[in-house]
């Protein structure tokens, strides 16, 4: 278990066993982090530190999430996300670079 890992709400969370989650991340309820892709491209999430995932977000495949990222409610993430990005939508799109600093408790 990563340091500072937080489940922010009770409820269903599906987490593929090989997913990599770094320190100080917060995962809300009804989040799915799964495996996706085909053949040699089949893989799962690799997530940086201090990432906030809002309720009902979905991830599938070999996606890399940078550090200090905030992912909005119901977002479907299907591509890599850069450091400090804030994303929302289906598919998830970067809306700003204010990051996750207001969402992650570091103590």
């Amino acid at each position: 278990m990563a340091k500072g890992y937080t489940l922010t709400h009770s409820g269903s969370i599906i987490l593929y066993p090989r997913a990599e989650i770094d320190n100080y991340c917060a995962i809300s309820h009804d989040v799915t982090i799964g495996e996706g892709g085909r053949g040699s491209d089949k893989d799962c999430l690799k997530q940086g530190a201090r990432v906030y995932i809002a309720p009902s977000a979905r991830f599938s495949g070999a996606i890399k999430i940078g550090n200090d990222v905030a992912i909005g409610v119901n977002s479907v993430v299907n591509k890599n996300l850069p450091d400090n990005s804030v994303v929302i939508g289906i598919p998830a799109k970067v809306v700003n670079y204010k990051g996750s600093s207001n969402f992650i408790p570091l103590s």
Side-chain angles (χ1 to χ4, degrees):
M1 179 79 55
K3 181 178 180 183
Y5 177 78
T6 306
L7 299 176
T8 57
H9 301 96
S10 63
S12 171
I13 295 174
I14 298 171
L15 179 61
Y16 187 74
R18 291 190 313 119
E20 296 176 18
I21 298 174
D22 207 335
N23 295 326
Y24 296 103
C25 292
I27 299 177
S28 300
H29 66 282
D30 193 33
V31 169
T32 299
I33 299 174
E35 180 183 51
R38 297 176 185 211
S40 62
D41 291 330
K42 192 172 190 174
D43 205 351
C44 59
L45 179 77
K46 291 174 181 45
Q47 178 178 304
R50 299 169 307 279
V51 173
Y52 172 77
I53 303 174
S56 301
R58 304 287 189 251
F59 306 82
S60 180
I63 301 165
K64 293 182 182 171
I65 307 297
N67 296 315
D68 303 296
V69 172
I71 299 163
V73 172
N74 291 322
S75 294
V76 175
V77 180
N78 61 1
K79 62 183 177 181
N80 298 340
L81 301 178
D83 291 347
N84 300 302
S85 58
V86 176
V87 301
I88 58 172
I90 302 170
K93 293 184 171 120
V94 176
V95 293
N96 65 53
Y97 289 93
K98 294 180 181 178
S100 63
S101 62
N102 295 333
F103 301 109
I104 303 293
L106 297 176
S107 56

